[in-house]
Amino acid sequence: MKKLVSRGARDAGTHRADPPTSETLAVPNVLAAAGIFGPIVFTVGVVVQGFLRAEYNPIAQQISDLTAGPYGWVQQVNFVVFGLLLIAFAVGLHRGVRKAWPWVLGPALVAWNGVELVVAGLFPLREDAAGHIYDPLGVHSVNGTIFFLCIGVVLVVISRRFARDARWRGLATYTLASGIALFVLVVLNGFLAEMTQAPLHPWLGLIQRAILAVWFPCLVILAFRLRRVGR
């Protein structure tokens, strides 16, 4: 009898968990896909609008200017969709990275970036009868400034969490470097291009796209790693 009990206890102790099913893998895969397709869908939407709207100059004008005018609703939807996908991706990061301090801060800040994109879509710019673009409430401009200042900081914060997880450690330095580069680019953009009198103001749109060209690949790479970790 004792032998049976000890053998049963030993078997219970060495029992291996069942492999994950397709149902348990579905949610991480969907959340990772949100991080992959969010930047891609947003970029395609902006590029297509730049070609179709003859009055828009992608070199000189910021992306938010696409929210003004009779077809501004297209970019509004583009902002909202990207924001919601980024929030979903943040949930995936929260689930897929080891819980180490500050374990909730990084994904929460990524989700906050998503909320800011949604706000950008809900409070668009407007165009007056003379064709001048303006911000009727001031919400879009303030929200945009906070958003661009935050995206680099968010990556720096989340890189510290990656460094504490062996599955993500290989991306910690890249994420940190991307965050620092973004913060520097955004600050330089504020001094050299944002203001009308700034020397690089005629290239405001191009500089803004250069900033996103650093941020978007980082998001996609992290999303692919999340997809692999989820498996």
Side-chain angles (χ1 to χ4, degrees):
M1 182 66 179
K2 290 182 178 179
K3 291 182 178 180
L4 292 175
V5 172
S6 61
R7 182 179 178 182
R10 186 168 61 250
D11 291 344
T14 58
H15 176 69
R16 294 182 178 179
D18 293 333
T21 63
S22 59
E23 289 78 9
T24 58
L25 291 175
V27 172
N29 283 339
V30 169
L31 297 176
I36 295 170
F37 288 106
I40 295 174
V41 171
F42 183 84
T43 301
V44 171
V46 170
V47 171
V48 170
Q49 290 179 85
F51 278 113
L52 296 180
R53 296 179 60 169
E55 80 285 358
Y56 180 76
N57 183 354
I59 302 298
Q61 292 182 264
Q62 57 186 349
I63 292 173
S64 289
D65 288 353
L66 289 169
T67 63
Y71 300 104
W73 64 269
V74 177
Q75 182 55 33
Q76 288 180 250
V77 172
N78 201 17
F79 272 130
V80 172
V81 170
F82 184 22
L84 295 177
L85 290 173
L86 192 59
I87 292 171
F89 175 54
V91 174
L93 287 176
H94 175 65
R95 292 163 56 102
V97 185
R98 186 171 70 86
K99 306 299 187 290
W101 177 255
W103 66 272
V104 73
L105 183 59
L109 290 174
V110 175
W112 176 247
N113 287 157
V115 171
E116 290 171 320
L117 288 167
V118 172
V119 171
L122 297 179
F123 294 90
L125 301 178
R126 298 298 184 190
E127 187 177 78
D128 61 21
H132 299 134
I133 297 175
Y134 67 100
D135 188 352
L137 300 176
V139 174
H140 190 100
S141 300
V142 173
N143 176 72
T145 300
I146 296 173
F147 169 78
F148 276 104
L149 286 173
C150 282
I151 55 176
V153 176
V154 171
L155 292 183
V156 171
V157 172
I158 205 168
S159 71
R160 298 301 83 206
R161 183 170 168 185
F162 289 164
R164 296 177 174 89
D165 189 331
R167 301 168 301 174
W168 291 85
R169 193 169 294 135
L171 292 177
T173 301
Y174 166 68
T175 307
L176 176 63
S178 297
I180 294 173
L182 281 170
F183 185 76
V184 171
L185 286 172
V186 169
V187 172
L188 290 177
N189 180 62
F191 283 108
L192 300 177
E194 283 287 346
M195 304 301 293
T196 306
Q197 301 82 7
L200 299 182
H201 186 70
W203 294 277
L204 174 61
L206 183 63
I207 296 173
Q208 187 183 76
R209 285 159 175 79
I211 293 172
L212 297 182
V214 176
W215 187 46
F216 284 178
C218 186
L219 290 179
V220 173
I221 289 172
L222 296 184
F224 272 111
R225 175 59 61 89
L226 177 62
R227 189 169 183 267
R228 192 173 79 180
V229 167
R231 290 182 173 180

